[in-house]
Amino acid sequence: MLTDRQLDILYLIIKIYTETDAPVGSKTLMNEGIQASSATIRNDMGVLEELGFIEKTHSSSGRIPSVKGYRFYVDHLLKPTDVASQDRLEIRRAFAREFHAINDIVETAASILSDLTSYTAFSLGPEVKERKLTGFRLIPLNHQQVMTIIVTDKGNVESQVFSIPQDMSSEDLEKVVKIINDKLVGQPLITVYNKLRTEIPLVLQRYFHTPSSVMHFFDSVMAQAFEDRIFVSGKMNILDYDSLTDMSEFKSIYSLMDDEEAITSLIIPSHGDISIRIGEELENDLLENMSLMTASYEVNGHGKGTIALLGPTNMSYARMFGLLDVFRYEVADQLSDYYRSLESPH
Amino acid sequence: MLTDRQLDILYLIIKIYTETDAPVGSKTLMNEGIQASSATIRNDMGVLEELGFIEKTHSSSGRIPSVKGYRFYVDHLLKPTDVASQDRLEIRRAFAREFHAINDIVETAASILSDLTSYTAFSLGPEVKERKLTGFRLIPLNHQQVMTIIVTDKGNVESQVFSIPQDMSSEDLEKVVKIINDKLVGQPLITVYNKLRTEIPLVLQRYFHTPSSVMHFFDSVMAQAFEDRIFVSGKMNILDYDSLTDMSEFKSIYSLMDDEEAITSLIIPSHGDISIRIGEELENDLLENMSLMTASYEVNGHGKGTIALLGPTNMSYARMFGLLDVFRYEVADQLSDYYRSLESPH
DNA sequence: GTTAGCACTCTGAATGTAAGAGTGCTAAAA
DNA sequence: TTTTAGCACTCTTACATTCAGAGTGCTAAC
């Protein structure tokens, strides 16, 4: 078991390394408040290194925290810092505008978070799959084009403009609308998604002799609505906080950020309210030197959303923890208000 | 006046510098085909330097072309290369899909161009201001939200979802639709834009007692449709072709690329079919080491569009010239086809 | 268990060296 | 008059050398 002084030393190494980004030596620790001589501190550091909590960058360097060290820190030592009142203010102010869509709120969350931290922020709204399809419209715009509008019960709207396929008559279109209204409107999106692969093709075969073109139309119309849109803000900040060996490395990371699929699966597997994954724990070579903090929030009755923060392994977990905690509530509140305003007509 | 050999030397310096990205010396030029000894070539290089066409990077280095040298080259020496058949193929293939909107085509152009060149490509569709507003719709989605759809005669569609302002009744909304249909539909966008600042506020004052909130609604509805959307592709390529001193420099350039306003005004002032501006000629410190080639095309009767290419000053102007020339026709053709398909109902 | 002292290691910046590429100039050849 | 060979000179680049500084581990004494 670690002694109190050893815990202090580990804590302090992490704190100082976060601030200075340079290996921490025994003398520095002495000056920063450890009540012992540098030799004693060195002995303790030896122990901590033996246990794998800290490591050297070269044989005679100071120590930096290892992943295991950070893990121990976030699990046992971390005390969230109070959020600076200036930060609080900025958050309030950024949310103090009128929103016209859920995704506006979700996007704003990512944007404030990355501004506040200078890291990269992600924001994923309450889950889509639980929603119901409440409306489907086809608006003819001119000879060739129609606009499709899909509305879900939580106020999400997706629209798309189509050129009408050559082999599709306007009667066919009307049939499509009818089929969608009969079979799909009112269903949860997940059901819609399933029927689209099973039942609907059968129905189409009965009504059309070119079901594939109709099916294709169907598919693109619905595809959008199923996507959990994830918002990323502060991609460029990677340049500041990641010590890149290589421009191609940056490019890879950058394009990873553009891959909604990848990001979503990176962020989703979080446990509890706020989860932290450090360096290798992210199981992605590109993110070796980064950590990901994920916070989830519940919008009462409307599903679970997620915000996340990607930064260097030596980020200030304490401050970030505090911030994310504020966001958890703030975003949930904002969304909650928005949903309420949708439900109660004024 | 320059001798033939001097012209050959200038030409060859530019060619070799484009290929190797390193200063070119007299011996290299000799080996690459100049029929004279290195000493003679050095003398000619002295003349060219005296005239400001080439310059040294340090007192005993080989020469690189100056802006004036490039200028002379593009004005008098440049011979467009034939486009490689493989490139031709790729262009054909990328355009060989169905497009559902003008902007799809315009965006695709930028994307292919940047893929093909590994530079940064811009694409600006036929001018918006000439279009007429042909349709305006308000689709109620639920208690709180309406979707507005604006259609122009060239098949452009913009939609937006709104929460209805608190102090706006549905009768008010209907009035808004009526006013727009009476006063604005059928007008060219530029007229719409002007009326929105002059005539419309007066009309509103007659019908509403809170004209400002209505006006605000009006404004955001229309704002979108006026914007010339410009597409940028290959922003990340800057990392490869610009020798950045600094990450913050990259950030600045990158955010310049996000500034549609700035990019548009950078690209617009081009003369003739294909215009080239080199380094300082761009009058932007950030773009000192880059050149911009701008090509404009005419879609018969539907306005003028522009594609542009930003690359290093030592890009292969000959190849790019050929490529842009192909694009000029290809994009115009594609758009022309699209417009035709809109006009003639099948 | 703690500490002073010391030999040792490694980094990073500064300095020196040598090869290579290229130049300008001069004087001779064409 | 133009071209060329030759040479001294310049500058870059890569590589080695040196040296101070920061930090360590170990030992022996407190």
Side-chain angles (χ1 to χ4, degrees), chain A residues 163 166 240 251 254 346, chain B residues 100 166 240 251 254 338 346:
Chain A
S163 297
Q166 296 289 340
D240 300 322
K251 278 193 169 186
Y254 189 91
H346 49 218
Chain B
H100 292 298
Q166 296 289 340
D240 299 322
K251 277 194 171 182
Y254 189 90
Y338 186 82
H346 49 217

Side-chain angles (χ1 to χ4, degrees), chain A residues 94-136:
Chain A
F95 276 121
R97 35 172 281 242
E98 200 174 338
F99 293 102
H100 292 298
I102 294 174
N103 277 343
D104 277 358
I105 299 173
V106 176
E107 184 171 17
T108 300
S111 147
I112 313 168
L113 190 55
S114 73
D115 281 356
L116 240 40
T117 58
S118 298
Y119 297 149
T120 308
F122 307 94
S123 184
L124 185 62
E127 284 164 51
V128 156
K129 301 273 184 296
E130 299 180 7
R131 292 182 205 140
K132 281 187 194 148
L133 182 66
T134 56
F136 177 79

Side-chain angles (χ1 to χ4, degrees), chain A residues 184-201:
Chain A
L184 301 179
V185 167
Q187 308 282 328
L189 282 194
I190 182 71
T191 312
V192 173
Y193 187 82
N194 289 333
K195 286 200 174 173
L196 221 51
R197 328 260 125 196
T198 56
E199 191 179 325
I200 298 294

